[in-house]
Tab-separated table of all heavy atoms in Angstrom:
chain	number	residue	atom	x	y	z
A	617	ALA	N	-13.800	25.829	1.581
A	617	ALA	CA	-13.915	27.083	2.316
A	617	ALA	C	-13.732	28.235	1.337
A	617	ALA	O	-13.150	28.063	0.246
A	617	ALA	CB	-12.903	27.149	3.453
A	618	ARG	N	-14.209	29.412	1.735
A	618	ARG	CA	-14.173	30.577	0.848
A	618	ARG	C	-13.541	31.738	1.596
A	618	ARG	O	-13.836	32.001	2.774
A	618	ARG	CB	-15.573	30.939	0.383
A	618	ARG	CG	-15.650	32.106	-0.584
A	618	ARG	CD	-17.055	32.195	-1.140
A	618	ARG	NE	-17.223	33.311	-2.092
A	618	ARG	CZ	-18.296	33.483	-2.833
A	618	ARG	NH1	-19.323	32.602	-2.751
A	618	ARG	NH2	-18.389	34.503	-3.659
A	619	SER	N	-12.682	32.451	0.889
A	619	SER	CA	-12.113	33.679	1.413
A	619	SER	C	-12.214	34.732	0.303
A	619	SER	O	-11.467	34.677	-0.682
A	619	SER	CB	-10.636	33.469	1.799
A	619	SER	OG	-10.084	34.665	2.280
A	620	GLY	N	-13.193	35.605	0.462
A	620	GLY	CA	-13.430	36.576	-0.610
A	620	GLY	C	-13.891	35.896	-1.877
A	620	GLY	O	-14.845	35.101	-1.878
A	621	ASP	N	-13.206	36.199	-2.967
A	621	ASP	CA	-13.534	35.593	-4.255
A	621	ASP	C	-12.763	34.321	-4.536
A	621	ASP	O	-12.847	33.794	-5.646
A	621	ASP	CB	-13.297	36.588	-5.401
A	621	ASP	CG	-14.318	37.735	-5.394
A	621	ASP	OD1	-15.477	37.460	-5.057
A	621	ASP	OD2	-13.937	38.875	-5.701
A	622	ARG	N	-12.036	33.837	-3.576
A	622	ARG	CA	-11.271	32.597	-3.788
A	622	ARG	C	-11.870	31.466	-2.988
A	622	ARG	O	-12.159	31.618	-1.805
A	622	ARG	CB	-9.796	32.807	-3.412
A	622	ARG	CG	-8.948	31.525	-3.620
A	622	ARG	CD	-7.491	31.857	-3.692
A	622	ARG	NE	-7.166	32.633	-4.883
A	622	ARG	CZ	-6.988	32.132	-6.100
A	622	ARG	NH1	-7.131	30.821	-6.301
A	622	ARG	NH2	-6.697	32.923	-7.109
A	623	VAL	N	-12.044	30.315	-3.671
A	623	VAL	CA	-12.564	29.121	-3.037
A	623	VAL	C	-11.488	28.051	-3.081
A	623	VAL	O	-10.848	27.853	-4.130
A	623	VAL	CB	-13.830	28.615	-3.755
A	623	VAL	CG1	-14.224	27.229	-3.255
A	623	VAL	CG2	-14.976	29.592	-3.554
A	624	VAL	N	-11.272	27.390	-1.975
A	624	VAL	CA	-10.329	26.278	-1.940
A	624	VAL	C	-11.100	25.017	-1.538
A	624	VAL	O	-11.987	25.047	-0.681
A	624	VAL	CB	-9.165	26.506	-0.979
A	624	VAL	CG1	-8.226	27.546	-1.542
A	624	VAL	CG2	-9.667	26.895	0.401
A	625	VAL	N	-10.809	23.921	-2.220
A	625	VAL	CA	-11.451	22.647	-1.959
A	625	VAL	C	-10.368	21.597	-1.848
A	625	VAL	O	-9.476	21.517	-2.710
A	625	VAL	CB	-12.449	22.264	-3.080
A	625	VAL	CG1	-13.069	20.904	-2.792
A	625	VAL	CG2	-13.523	23.316	-3.231
A	626	ASP	N	-10.416	20.778	-0.803
A	626	ASP	CA	-9.553	19.609	-0.676
A	626	ASP	C	-10.388	18.368	-0.979
A	626	ASP	O	-11.477	18.186	-0.409
A	626	ASP	CB	-8.982	19.500	0.755
A	626	ASP	CG	-7.720	20.322	0.941
A	626	ASP	OD1	-7.253	20.946	-0.057
A	626	ASP	OD2	-7.202	20.345	2.068
A	627	VAL	N	-9.867	17.540	-1.873
A	627	VAL	CA	-10.554	16.318	-2.249
A	627	VAL	C	-9.683	15.151	-1.848
A	627	VAL	O	-8.526	15.010	-2.322
A	627	VAL	CB	-10.842	16.268	-3.772
A	627	VAL	CG1	-11.568	14.969	-4.126
A	627	VAL	CG2	-11.631	17.494	-4.225
A	628	ARG	N	-10.199	14.302	-0.984
A	628	ARG	CA	-9.519	13.075	-0.602
A	628	ARG	C	-10.144	11.902	-1.340
A	628	ARG	O	-11.379	11.765	-1.366
A	628	ARG	CB	-9.625	12.836	0.909
A	628	ARG	CG	-8.823	13.826	1.715
A	628	ARG	CD	-8.768	13.408	3.180
A	628	ARG	NE	-7.965	14.365	3.951
A	628	ARG	CZ	-6.645	14.301	4.062
A	628	ARG	NH1	-5.975	13.322	3.450
A	628	ARG	NH2	-5.969	15.186	4.767
A	629	PHE	N	-9.283	11.077	-1.904
A	629	PHE	CA	-9.741	9.856	-2.551
A	629	PHE	C	-9.548	8.759	-1.521
A	629	PHE	O	-8.470	8.210	-1.327
A	629	PHE	CB	-8.928	9.620	-3.826
A	629	PHE	CG	-9.181	10.690	-4.872
A	629	PHE	CD1	-8.526	11.925	-4.805
A	629	PHE	CD2	-10.108	10.494	-5.858
A	629	PHE	CE1	-8.763	12.936	-5.716
A	629	PHE	CE2	-10.368	11.498	-6.798
A	629	PHE	CZ	-9.698	12.713	-6.735
A	630	VAL	N	-10.643	8.451	-0.780
A	630	VAL	CA	-10.538	7.786	0.496
A	630	VAL	C	-10.273	6.281	0.406
A	630	VAL	O	-10.204	5.609	1.444
A	630	VAL	CB	-11.771	8.054	1.391
A	630	VAL	CG1	-11.804	9.496	1.810
A	630	VAL	CG2	-13.065	7.674	0.641
A	631	GLU	N	-10.133	5.756	-0.785
A	631	GLU	CA	-9.657	4.391	-0.947
A	631	GLU	C	-8.208	4.360	-1.379
A	631	GLU	O	-7.666	3.306	-1.760
A	631	GLU	CB	-10.553	3.615	-1.929
A	631	GLU	CG	-11.959	3.456	-1.395
A	631	GLU	CD	-12.924	2.845	-2.394
A	631	GLU	OE1	-12.625	2.790	-3.602
A	631	GLU	OE2	-14.008	2.429	-1.964
A	632	THR	N	-7.543	5.507	-1.291
A	632	THR	CA	-6.140	5.657	-1.652
A	632	THR	C	-5.488	6.608	-0.669
A	632	THR	O	-6.166	7.218	0.156
A	632	THR	CB	-5.990	6.230	-3.086
A	632	THR	OG1	-6.175	7.676	-3.024
A	632	THR	CG2	-6.998	5.636	-4.052
A	633	PRO	N	-4.171	6.789	-0.782
A	633	PRO	CA	-3.521	7.783	0.102
A	633	PRO	C	-3.745	9.211	-0.321
A	633	PRO	O	-3.327	10.130	0.421
A	633	PRO	CB	-2.023	7.429	-0.022
A	633	PRO	CG	-1.944	6.105	-0.679
A	633	PRO	CD	-3.180	5.960	-1.489
A	634	HIS	N	-4.367	9.500	-1.445
A	634	HIS	CA	-4.125	10.779	-2.146
A	634	HIS	C	-5.137	11.891	-1.846
A	634	HIS	O	-6.340	11.645	-1.669
A	634	HIS	CB	-4.085	10.523	-3.637
A	634	HIS	CG	-2.981	9.572	-4.006
A	634	HIS	ND1	-1.664	9.885	-3.822
A	634	HIS	CD2	-3.006	8.313	-4.518
A	634	HIS	CE1	-0.905	8.870	-4.195
A	634	HIS	NE2	-1.704	7.898	-4.615
A	635	LEU	N	-4.567	13.100	-1.802
A	635	LEU	CA	-5.307	14.338	-1.509
A	635	LEU	C	-4.997	15.351	-2.617
A	635	LEU	O	-3.828	15.583	-2.948
A	635	LEU	CB	-4.871	14.873	-0.150
A	635	LEU	CG	-5.254	16.307	0.215
A	635	LEU	CD1	-6.760	16.477	0.323
A	635	LEU	CD2	-4.576	16.703	1.531
A	636	LEU	N	-6.041	15.944	-3.148
A	636	LEU	CA	-5.909	16.967	-4.206
A	636	LEU	C	-6.362	18.314	-3.659
A	636	LEU	O	-7.458	18.435	-3.129
A	636	LEU	CB	-6.756	16.588	-5.426
A	636	LEU	CG	-6.727	17.529	-6.637
A	636	LEU	CD1	-5.343	17.544	-7.290
A	636	LEU	CD2	-7.804	17.144	-7.631
A	637	HIS	N	-5.520	19.352	-3.843
A	637	HIS	CA	-5.849	20.708	-3.448
A	637	HIS	C	-6.309	21.475	-4.679
A	637	HIS	O	-5.555	21.574	-5.675
A	637	HIS	CB	-4.638	21.419	-2.847
A	637	HIS	CG	-4.015	20.701	-1.669
A	637	HIS	ND1	-4.634	20.594	-0.461
A	637	HIS	CD2	-2.832	20.049	-1.576
A	637	HIS	CE1	-3.842	19.936	0.382
A	637	HIS	NE2	-2.737	19.592	-0.281
A	638	VAL	N	-7.499	22.051	-4.653
A	638	VAL	CA	-8.033	22.820	-5.777
A	638	VAL	C	-8.312	24.227	-5.286
A	638	VAL	O	-8.900	24.435	-4.213
A	638	VAL	CB	-9.326	22.194	-6.326
A	638	VAL	CG1	-9.879	23.027	-7.484
A	638	VAL	CG2	-9.073	20.766	-6.788
A	639	SER	N	-7.923	25.220	-6.073
A	639	SER	CA	-8.168	26.616	-5.750
A	639	SER	C	-8.803	27.297	-6.966
A	639	SER	O	-8.292	27.168	-8.094
A	639	SER	CB	-6.846	27.317	-5.381
A	639	SER	OG	-7.069	28.687	-5.099
A	640	VAL	N	-9.922	28.012	-6.740
A	640	VAL	CA	-10.644	28.652	-7.819
A	640	VAL	C	-10.814	30.133	-7.495
A	640	VAL	O	-11.292	30.471	-6.398
A	640	VAL	CB	-12.032	28.000	-8.026
A	640	VAL	CG1	-12.775	28.664	-9.183
A	640	VAL	CG2	-11.883	26.500	-8.282
A	641	ASP	N	-10.486	30.981	-8.435
A	641	ASP	CA	-10.743	32.418	-8.299
A	641	ASP	C	-12.069	32.707	-8.983
A	641	ASP	O	-12.191	32.607	-10.185
A	641	ASP	CB	-9.616	33.238	-8.950
A	641	ASP	CG	-9.726	34.710	-8.619
A	641	ASP	OD1	-10.823	35.266	-8.812
A	641	ASP	OD2	-8.722	35.304	-8.194
A	642	LEU	N	-13.077	33.046	-8.186
A	642	LEU	CA	-14.439	33.240	-8.735
A	642	LEU	C	-14.512	34.491	-9.589
A	642	LEU	O	-15.434	34.604	-10.435
A	642	LEU	CB	-15.455	33.337	-7.592
A	642	LEU	CG	-15.576	32.084	-6.715
A	642	LEU	CD1	-16.581	32.344	-5.619
A	642	LEU	CD2	-15.985	30.887	-7.533
A	643	GLU	N	-13.575	35.410	-9.431
A	643	GLU	CA	-13.646	36.665	-10.180
A	643	GLU	C	-13.083	36.502	-11.597
A	643	GLU	O	-13.721	36.847	-12.593
A	643	GLU	CB	-12.916	37.761	-9.445
A	643	GLU	CG	-13.020	39.115	-10.147
A	643	GLU	CD	-12.418	40.237	-9.301
A	643	GLU	OE1	-11.891	39.971	-8.203
A	643	GLU	OE2	-12.470	41.386	-9.764
A	644	ASP	N	-11.870	35.920	-11.678
A	644	ASP	CA	-11.269	35.802	-13.035
A	644	ASP	C	-11.337	34.389	-13.597
A	644	ASP	O	-10.904	34.151	-14.714
A	644	ASP	CB	-9.838	36.310	-13.041
A	644	ASP	CG	-8.894	35.493	-12.143
A	644	ASP	OD1	-9.250	34.331	-11.787
A	644	ASP	OD2	-7.805	35.982	-11.800
A	645	GLY	N	-11.877	33.422	-12.809
A	645	GLY	CA	-12.072	32.099	-13.326
A	645	GLY	C	-10.835	31.215	-13.383
A	645	GLY	O	-10.889	30.080	-13.867
A	646	THR	N	-9.697	31.678	-12.870
A	646	THR	CA	-8.496	30.852	-12.908
A	646	THR	C	-8.600	29.726	-11.876
A	646	THR	O	-9.172	29.869	-10.807
A	646	THR	CB	-7.236	31.699	-12.627
A	646	THR	OG1	-7.370	32.318	-11.354
A	646	THR	CG2	-7.034	32.749	-13.695
A	647	VAL	N	-8.026	28.592	-12.273
A	647	VAL	CA	-8.051	27.417	-11.426
A	647	VAL	C	-6.642	26.826	-11.327
A	647	VAL	O	-5.936	26.716	-12.318
A	647	VAL	CB	-8.990	26.340	-12.007
A	647	VAL	CG1	-8.995	25.085	-11.124
A	647	VAL	CG2	-10.393	26.867	-12.180
A	648	THR	N	-6.254	26.478	-10.100
A	648	THR	CA	-5.017	25.715	-9.908
A	648	THR	C	-5.356	24.482	-9.094
A	648	THR	O	-6.281	24.464	-8.294
A	648	THR	CB	-3.931	26.522	-9.196
A	648	THR	OG1	-4.435	26.961	-7.919
A	648	THR	CG2	-3.510	27.748	-10.016
A	649	ALA	N	-4.620	23.421	-9.362
A	649	ALA	CA	-4.813	22.189	-8.612
A	649	ALA	C	-3.477	21.489	-8.465
A	649	ALA	O	-2.664	21.447	-9.419
A	649	ALA	CB	-5.816	21.288	-9.353
A	650	ALA	N	-3.239	20.913	-7.294
A	650	ALA	CA	-1.974	20.229	-7.040
A	650	ALA	C	-2.207	19.085	-6.100
A	650	ALA	O	-3.039	19.133	-5.185
A	650	ALA	CB	-0.979	21.221	-6.419
A	651	TRP	N	-1.459	18.004	-6.317
A	651	TRP	CA	-1.541	16.823	-5.457
A	651	TRP	C	-0.667	17.022	-4.223
A	651	TRP	O	0.461	17.509	-4.329
A	651	TRP	CB	-1.056	15.597	-6.211
A	651	TRP	CG	-1.947	15.139	-7.317
A	651	TRP	CD1	-1.746	15.301	-8.651
A	651	TRP	CD2	-3.184	14.447	-7.171
A	651	TRP	NE1	-2.803	14.737	-9.352
A	651	TRP	CE2	-3.688	14.215	-8.458
A	651	TRP	CE3	-3.932	13.993	-6.053
A	651	TRP	CZ2	-4.902	13.555	-8.693
A	651	TRP	CZ3	-5.118	13.348	-6.278
A	651	TRP	CH2	-5.597	13.127	-7.568
A	652	GLN	N	-1.178	16.597	-3.099
A	652	GLN	CA	-0.344	16.484	-1.878
A	652	GLN	C	0.679	15.390	-2.115
A	652	GLN	O	1.860	15.541	-1.761
A	652	GLN	CB	-1.212	16.185	-0.680
A	652	GLN	CG	-0.470	16.047	0.636
A	652	GLN	CD	-0.058	17.422	1.176
A	652	GLN	OE1	-0.633	18.422	0.813
A	652	GLN	NE2	0.966	17.405	2.028
A	653	THR	N	0.248	14.245	-2.666
A	653	THR	CA	1.133	13.176	-3.085
A	653	THR	C	0.677	12.718	-4.477
A	653	THR	O	-0.512	12.494	-4.678
A	653	THR	CB	1.101	11.977	-2.113
A	653	THR	OG1	-0.254	11.612	-1.854
A	653	THR	CG2	1.779	12.331	-0.801
A	654	GLN	N	1.604	12.586	-5.362
A	654	GLN	CA	1.291	12.252	-6.752
A	654	GLN	C	0.875	10.788	-6.898
A	654	GLN	O	1.602	9.880	-6.477
A	654	GLN	CB	2.499	12.511	-7.642
A	654	GLN	CG	2.233	12.474	-9.110
A	654	GLN	CD	1.515	13.713	-9.613
A	654	GLN	OE1	1.779	14.812	-9.134
A	654	GLN	NE2	0.619	13.550	-10.575
A	655	PRO	N	-0.318	10.513	-7.458
A	655	PRO	CA	-0.689	9.104	-7.715
A	655	PRO	C	0.306	8.441	-8.649
A	655	PRO	O	0.801	9.067	-9.609
A	655	PRO	CB	-2.055	9.223	-8.356
A	655	PRO	CG	-2.584	10.557	-7.892
A	655	PRO	CD	-1.378	11.443	-7.810
A	656	LEU	N	0.606	7.187	-8.385
A	656	LEU	CA	1.604	6.468	-9.176
A	656	LEU	C	1.015	5.692	-10.343
A	656	LEU	O	1.740	5.311	-11.247
A	656	LEU	CB	2.390	5.502	-8.277
A	656	LEU	CG	3.070	6.131	-7.067
A	656	LEU	CD1	3.869	5.085	-6.311
A	656	LEU	CD2	3.960	7.300	-7.480
Side-chain angles (χ1 to χ4, degrees):
R618 182 171 180 171
S619 179
D621 289 324
R622 180 161 294 279
V623 170
V624 289
V625 179
D626 275 357
V627 181
R628 291 189 178 275
F629 295 82
V630 291
E631 294 174 346
T632 80
H634 300 296
L635 166 64
L636 180 68
H637 304 290
V638 179
S639 177
V640 181
D641 190 310
L642 298 178
E643 184 174 1
D644 64 18
T646 58
V647 179
T648 58
W651 291 104
Q652 181 76 21
T653 50
Q654 192 75 37
L656 303 183

